[in-house]
């Protein structure tokens, strides 16, 4: 239910896109050209191509896997401040919920130093881009922790609460925090991160919703 799409073009470096940002995409093929949707970059731009990774959450995203090679694409952007430029502290914590891992995966190509990643999913098979993350981890040495559990259970409801966050990351209050996920999870974890002592100016949130 997840597909990555690579969009190539000339002089893409002129867009000045940064890891963590998103574009509004319109694929110019029959039955789709009239519909535009925002998707974050799931890899750092290299000047030759842009990549998005999309989970099938609706008709548009579910059909992206069938887009023919060579389809022309209109991209509006880049948008967003969920980028490394927002970093004010040496220590960083990145928290991803589900497909919210995509901009964080892109950010990890450019973030260095003391970096911890918490990747929250309900079931292990939802850990998309897992192999890429582990490959990046081997090169960069960041701390990657997978937080798996059903939020409808007593044990699952404790995951990423303020006490649990402090267990996972004892120096949480000293870190710049980037959080990305579906609106419900993002709002919940944002509240718990604040309860754990992170000041508002050190917390950056991106919500994913179609």
């Amino acid at each position: 239910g997840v597909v990555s799409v690579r969009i190539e073009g000339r002089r893409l470096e002129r867009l000045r896109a940064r890891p963590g940002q998103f574009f509004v995409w319109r694929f110019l093929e029959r039955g789709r050209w009239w519909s535009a949707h925002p998707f974050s970059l799931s890899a750092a731009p290299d000047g030759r191509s842009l990549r998005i990774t999309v989970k099938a959450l609706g008709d548009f995203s579910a059909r992206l896997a069938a887009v023919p090679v060579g389809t022309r694409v209109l991209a509006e952007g880049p948008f967003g401040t969920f980028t490394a430029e927002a970093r004010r502290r040496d220590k960083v914590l990145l928290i991803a919920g589900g497909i919210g891992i995509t901009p964080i995966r892109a950010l990890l190509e450019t973030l260095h130093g003391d970096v911890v990643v918490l990747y929250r999913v309900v079931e292990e098979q939802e850990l998309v881009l897992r192999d890429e993350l582990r490959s990046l981890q081997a090169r960069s040495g960041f701390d990657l922790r997978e937080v798996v559990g059903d939020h409808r259970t007593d044990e699952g409801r404790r995951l990423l609460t303020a006490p649990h966050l402090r267990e996972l990351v004892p120096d949480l209050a000293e870190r710049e925090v980037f959080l990305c996920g579906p609106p419900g999870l993002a709002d919940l974890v944002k509240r718990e991160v604040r309860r754990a002592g992170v000041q508002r100016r050190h917390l950056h949130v991106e919500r994913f919703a179609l």
Side-chain angles (χ1 to χ4, degrees), residues 26-141:
R26 188 187 301 270
F27 293 83
L28 303 183
E29 64 162 339
R30 179 176 296 180
R32 196 190 304 269
W33 64 266
W34 48 268
S35 182
H37 291 271
F39 297 113
S40 290
L41 301 176
S42 63
D46 59 10
R48 300 180 303 277
S49 66
L50 303 171
R51 192 186 77 170
I52 58 175
T53 300
V54 181
K55 184 176 182 179
L57 298 173
D59 289 344
F60 180 90
S61 54
R63 291 165 50 205
L64 271 183
V67 172
V69 173
T71 298
R72 292 188 177 273
V73 182
L74 295 182
E76 183 182 357
F79 300 113
T81 59
F82 194 78
T83 67
E85 283 74 10
R87 180 179 183 175
R88 299 182 181 89
R89 289 175 159 176
D90 292 335
K91 298 180 179 181
V92 178
L93 171 62
L94 306 171
I95 306 174
I99 198 62
I101 193 63
T102 54
I104 285 175
R105 182 257 179 256
L107 272 172
L108 285 168
E109 293 190 54
T110 57
L111 286 178
H112 305 288
D114 188 340
V115 178
V116 177
V117 181
L118 303 181
Y119 189 1
R120 173 76 173 97
V121 294
V122 175
E123 299 178 330
E124 191 170 356
Q125 58 263 36
E126 296 177 333
L127 292 165
V128 301
L129 304 179
R130 189 186 210 179
D131 291 343
E132 292 186 16
L133 290 169
R134 291 182 174 179
S135 178
L136 285 169
Q137 181 187 28
R139 296 203 304 266
S140 302

Side-chain angles (χ1 to χ4, degrees), residues 2-14:
V2 177
V3 62
S4 289
V5 180
R6 187 173 297 277
I7 300 95
E8 297 181 343
R10 295 185 297 274
R11 299 181 181 178
L12 292 183
E13 74 281 355
R14 295 176 63 183

Side-chain angles (χ1 to χ4, degrees), residues 2 21-22 44 54 59 64-65 68 93 123 130 142 146 180 191 199 201:
V2 177
Q21 291 188 304
F22 67 93
V54 181
D59 289 344
L64 271 183
L93 171 62
E123 299 178 330
R130 189 186 210 179
F142 57 83
E146 297 167 350
C180 184
R191 183 175 66 247
Q199 296 175 329
R201 67 177 180 272

Side-chain angles (χ1 to χ4, degrees), residues 15 18-19 49 54 67 69 75 118 165 169 179 185 202 208 210:
L15 292 172
R18 291 168 290 171
S49 66
V54 181
V67 172
V69 173
L118 303 181
L165 286 167
V169 191
L179 165 63
L185 180 141
H202 295 300
F208 264 37
L210 286 178

